[in-house]
Amino acid sequence: MAKQPTRVLVTGAAGQIGYALVPMIARGAMLGLDQPVIIHMLDIEPAAESLKGVKMELIDAAFPLLKDVVATTDVVEACKGVNVAVMVGGFPRKEGMERKDVMTKNVSIYKAQASALEQHAAPDCKVLVVANPANTNALILKEFAPSFPAKNITCLTRLDHNRALGQVSEKLNVHVGDVKNVTIWGNHSSTQYPDVNHATVKTAAGEKPVRELVANDQWLNTEFITTVQQRGAAIIKARKLSSALSAASSACDHIRDWVLGTPKGTWVSMGVYSDGSYGIPAGLIYSFPVTCEKGEWSIVQGLKIDEFSKAKMDATAKELVEEKSLAYSCLN
């Protein structure tokens, strides 16, 4: 029997990431090649004409899996019955703006969208926040959608995870598909900690630890970390625009693994609601290594954490605690 279409919301859909993301969803990259979709696109009033153009292009592409397109500037219409919500829309930091100014703008955006999702989305809707500051935007969304299960609100650190896989594969000159189990801990910011201590590479002689194969702790503990942390800035410098294609692709990876499951023996990084694992304060949206099965994520437990890693994990948690209090101060 044919599957019922899944309704997928993309906010900020007329922007760069949205424009890269919607065709990927329509092609089955997010939910599978046998899953029909209805795409809901939301953007602000000044982008209404551009949004109309994106809808025209989706129709012109004649995607077999795409059953319908909703393009709107009305948040309630956009959220109606959605099963997956990818929150790409947010207020970007502009030159001369303080972090608090950006936070105030985003708090008001995510407050309104949380309320619309809570009232109009499907009760089991899975939410992925992409817009920065992603972890804290996700936390605000959770605060203002109290009936939404906390486990259904996540933020994107899969882009950082994929960047880390890419750096290891380039360094070792191996295919990226043979590298697994890197971890991104913490905030989707320059304090994140890309950790290879449990990562492995598939070789002719079986799986080998990344540290053993790279055989250069100096590089892994310095340049590798800063390259992943600052990759977004490097792309802006090269393209004069922020990452769009890679962000859209990793958003598809995040939802696909969450919905369809992670391969056996493999974990991925997701920003999820902390339960206190690894000594990270509960009540933050923090990136952990997770496995997914039957639409549920679980934090990978029992990984050995050395002192170097613990210090990095705590530093990024500290930044998230500061962001949280800044966000809460914007509510007053």
Side-chain angles (χ1 to χ4, degrees):
M1 204 174 84
K3 288 186 169 183
Q4 283 298 308
T6 296
R7 291 181 179 270
V8 182
L9 165 65
V10 177
T11 72
Q16 263 215 106
I17 296 172
Y19 186 70
L21 178 59
V22 290
M24 294 182 188
I25 298 169
R27 276 194 187 280
M30 178 177 277
L31 294 166
L33 299 174
D34 61 347
Q35 178 58 62
V37 290
I38 295 169
I39 296 178
H40 291 222
M41 300 192 298
L42 174 70
D43 218 312
I44 54 175
E45 199 58 55
E49 275 305 300
S50 179
L51 193 62
K52 203 182 286 180
V54 179
K55 180 175 178 175
M56 288 158 71
E57 286 204 75
L58 282 174
I59 291 163
D60 292 353
F63 294 108
L65 289 172
L66 185 59
K67 297 302 175 189
D68 198 8
V69 183
V70 176
T72 182
T73 57
D74 175 19
V75 67
V76 170
E77 185 189 358
C79 291
K80 263 198 185 121
V82 296
N83 309 100
V84 173
V86 185
M87 318 301 281
V88 180
F91 194 89
R93 187 169 182 176
K94 295 177 180 171
E95 212 174 328
M97 282 183 82
E98 292 297 322
R99 280 177 76 227
K100 179 150 185 177
D101 302 332
V102 187
M103 196 70 83
T104 304
K105 297 274 189 193
N106 280 300
V107 163
S108 64
I109 291 168
Y110 277 83
K111 199 171 161 183
Q113 293 182 349
S115 149
L117 278 170
E118 186 177 41
Q119 290 171 50
H120 303 287
D124 62 347
C125 178
K126 288 177 160 54
V127 180
L128 167 61
V129 177
V130 176
N132 286 322
N135 300 59
T136 301
N137 284 343
L139 191 63
I140 292 297
L141 199 130
K142 188 207 155 291
E143 287 297 309
F144 287 98
S147 71
F148 241 66
K151 65 182 173 51
N152 282 19
I153 296 174
T154 64
C155 82
L156 187 71
T157 56
R158 182 61 175 270
L159 176 54
D160 309 300
H161 180 98
N162 288 350
R163 285 167 171 166
L165 292 174
Q167 289 304 305
V168 170
S169 89
E170 293 273 294
K171 183 74 172 174
L172 293 173
N173 198 22
V174 297
H175 187 264
V176 73
D178 292 334
V179 187
K180 68 175 190 181
N181 296 352
V182 298
T183 301
I184 302 297
W185 300 96
N187 198 2
H188 174 63
S189 76
S190 60
T191 67
Q192 64 175 260
Y193 172 44
D195 174 9
V196 296
N197 286 330
H198 311 280
T200 60
V201 179
K202 189 160 70 179
T203 72
E207 287 190 355
K208 299 278 186 192
V210 164
R211 257 193 202 279
E212 185 185 303
L213 292 176
V214 171
N216 183 344
D217 282 353
Q218 172 63 20
W219 181 80
L220 284 170
N221 291 345
T222 55
E223 193 185 329
F224 163 74
I225 292 173
T226 53
T227 300
V228 176
Q229 288 173 333
Q230 293 164 18
R231 186 68 162 185
I235 286 166
I236 290 172
K237 194 174 174 199
R239 286 192 73 227
K240 312 293 179 271
L241 292 162
S242 58
S243 321
L245 178 160
S246 53
S249 181
S250 56
C252 287
D253 291 345
H254 175 113
I255 297 287
R256 187 185 62 247
D257 284 344
W258 188 4
V259 172
L260 302 177
T262 45
K264 196 166 171 47
T266 300
W267 66 69
V268 294
S269 302
M270 285 171 65
V272 298
Y273 198 60
S274 171
D275 60 358
S277 293
Y278 296 101
I280 300 306
L284 296 176
I285 301 267
Y286 185 98
S287 182
F288 287 97
V290 302
T291 55
C292 304
E293 194 178 359
K294 296 180 180 157
E296 304 273 336
W297 54 262
S298 307
I299 295 172
V300 175
Q301 298 294 342
L303 296 178
K304 196 167 177 302
I305 305 295
D306 61 20
E307 277 181 37
F308 177 86
S309 296
K310 187 70 181 117
K312 297 270 185 203
M313 289 160 67
D314 289 347
T316 189
K318 182 171 179 279
E319 182 183 59
L320 281 169
V321 169
E322 287 163 6
E323 274 189 22
K324 180 179 179 176
S325 67
L326 184 61
Y328 279 51
S329 73
C330 297
L331 298 172
N332 301 329

